[in-house]
């Protein structure tokens, strides 16, 4: 029996567990997200507080999931595009009900067995946090009504690091994990560069990049969760990678 779409993740493996998936089918529906419809005033008021604290924030549009299902075919979802302010309000709610944040995570491997991540700049929504070069799904990732996660990963890595995923060897298969109603879908990409070479390359890219979102690159050489101020979505992935 094929699982039905659900607004929760109770049918998924436990939080902070890495598990393989067969693929994705991420539909984007017309109209406003039910979360936005029900909370417009609260979202607007929170956004005023957000930009008062950080005027560099931009209320662009992104894809926010409404319902998901996990089956033998992989992860399917129904989503809507929303202003970034909707996501910022949602992530501050204790239970985060009404939506699910799904994003693609390109995990960059070096030739000497490290992982390479980036540190977010002080003016971003996640200042100082370390995670893999990635970003929320956006309208430009939608092709024929569905999100193209490969396009999203390639664009985000190029923008933030200058690295071209077509120069890497992609690992076989997709994996996923989730925590606090955020679902990460990730794939490994191995570059023919040492971790130090990749960090240096990203540092040079930062000098000429139009988008100054990151403050540096980080080589990860162990599963120690305290080695960096990791975004919580990173922890199960680095644990899985270094303890396989």
């Amino acid at each position: 029996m094929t699982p039905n779409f659900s607004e929760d993740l109770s049918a998924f493996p436990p939080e902070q567990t890495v598990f393989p998936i067969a693929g994705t089918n991420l539909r984007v529906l017309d109209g406003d997200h039910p979360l936005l419809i029900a909370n417009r005033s609260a979202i607007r008021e929170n956004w005023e507080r957000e930009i008062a604290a950080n005027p560099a924030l931009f209320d662009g549009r992104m894809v926010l999931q409404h319902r998901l299902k996990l089956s033998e075919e992989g992860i399917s979802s129904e989503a809507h595009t929303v202003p970034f302010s909707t996501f910022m309000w949602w992530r501050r709610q204790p239970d985060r009900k009404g939506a699910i944040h799904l994003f693609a995570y390109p995990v960059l491997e070096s030739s000497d067995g490290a992982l390479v991540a980036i540190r977010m700049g002080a003016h971003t929504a996640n200042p100082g946090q370390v995670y893999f070069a990635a970003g929320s799904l956006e309208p430009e990732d939608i092709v024929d009504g569905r999100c193209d996660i490969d396009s999203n990963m390639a664009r985000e890595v190029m923008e933030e690091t200058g690295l071209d995923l077509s120069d890497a060897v992609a690992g076989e298969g997709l994996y996923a994990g989730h925590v606090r109603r955020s679902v990460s879908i990730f794939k490994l990409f191995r570059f023919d560069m040492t971790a130090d070479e990749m960090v240096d390359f990203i540092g040079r890219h930062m000098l000429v990049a139009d988008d100054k979102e990151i403050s540096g690159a980080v080589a990860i050489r162990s599963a120690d969760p305290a080695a960096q101020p990791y975004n919580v979505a990173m922890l199960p992935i680095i644990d899985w990678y270094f303890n396989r």
Side-chain angles (χ1 to χ4, degrees), residues 217-232:
V218 175
I220 303 170
R221 303 183 188 276
S222 78
D224 180 3
Q228 298 288 343
Y230 291 120
N231 178 279
V232 66

Side-chain angles (χ1 to χ4, degrees), residues 42-59:
I43 290 168
R44 182 169 56 251
E45 291 168 4
N46 181 71
W47 184 245
E48 291 173 355
R49 293 190 292 270
E50 297 281 2
I51 59 174
N54 185 358
L57 295 176
F58 173 64
D59 200 15

Side-chain angles (χ1 to χ4, degrees), residues 15-131:
E15 286 195 353
Q16 300 201 20
T17 300
V18 169
F19 54 96
I21 60 172
T24 63
N25 182 11
L26 311 177
R27 296 181 60 212
V28 182
L29 308 180
D30 293 333
D32 285 336
H33 197 297
L35 182 80
L36 173 58
I37 294 171
N39 299 282
R40 288 187 191 276
S41 295
I43 290 168
R44 182 169 56 251
E45 291 168 4
N46 181 71
W47 184 245
E48 291 173 355
R49 293 190 292 270
E50 297 281 2
I51 59 174
N54 185 358
L57 295 176
F58 173 64
D59 200 15
R61 296 194 72 83
M62 59 173 282
V63 176
L64 187 62
Q65 272 61 37
H66 178 209
R67 304 188 302 171
L68 270 69
K69 70 178 178 182
L70 177 64
S71 70
E72 292 180 355
E73 288 74 40
I75 292 178
S76 302
S77 71
E78 295 178 342
H80 299 262
T81 62
V82 299
F84 182 62
S85 53
T86 304
F87 169 75
M88 291 293 283
W89 176 84
W90 169 83
R91 78 173 193 168
R92 291 191 178 277
Q93 305 314 300
D95 57 10
R96 292 187 170 183
K97 292 292 179 65
I100 300 166
H101 183 222
L102 182 149
F103 59 97
Y105 233 179
V107 179
L108 308 185
E109 290 184 277
S110 68
S111 60
D112 54 347
L115 300 178
V116 175
I118 51 94
R119 190 185 310 277
M120 296 304 293
H123 63 288
T124 65
N126 297 300
Q129 289 190 18
V130 170
Y131 54 80

Side-chain angles (χ1 to χ4, degrees), residues 139-175:
E140 61 193 291
D141 299 316
I142 302 171
V143 180
D144 296 330
R146 286 170 169 77
C147 289
D148 182 342
I149 63 170
D150 291 321
S151 173
N152 170 269
M153 289 190 288
R155 188 188 73 251
E156 293 289 347
V157 169
M158 177 61 74
E159 288 178 355
E160 296 185 0
T161 71
L163 292 166
D164 190 337
L165 288 186
S166 66
D167 293 334
V169 176
E172 293 185 5
L174 286 175
Y175 298 87

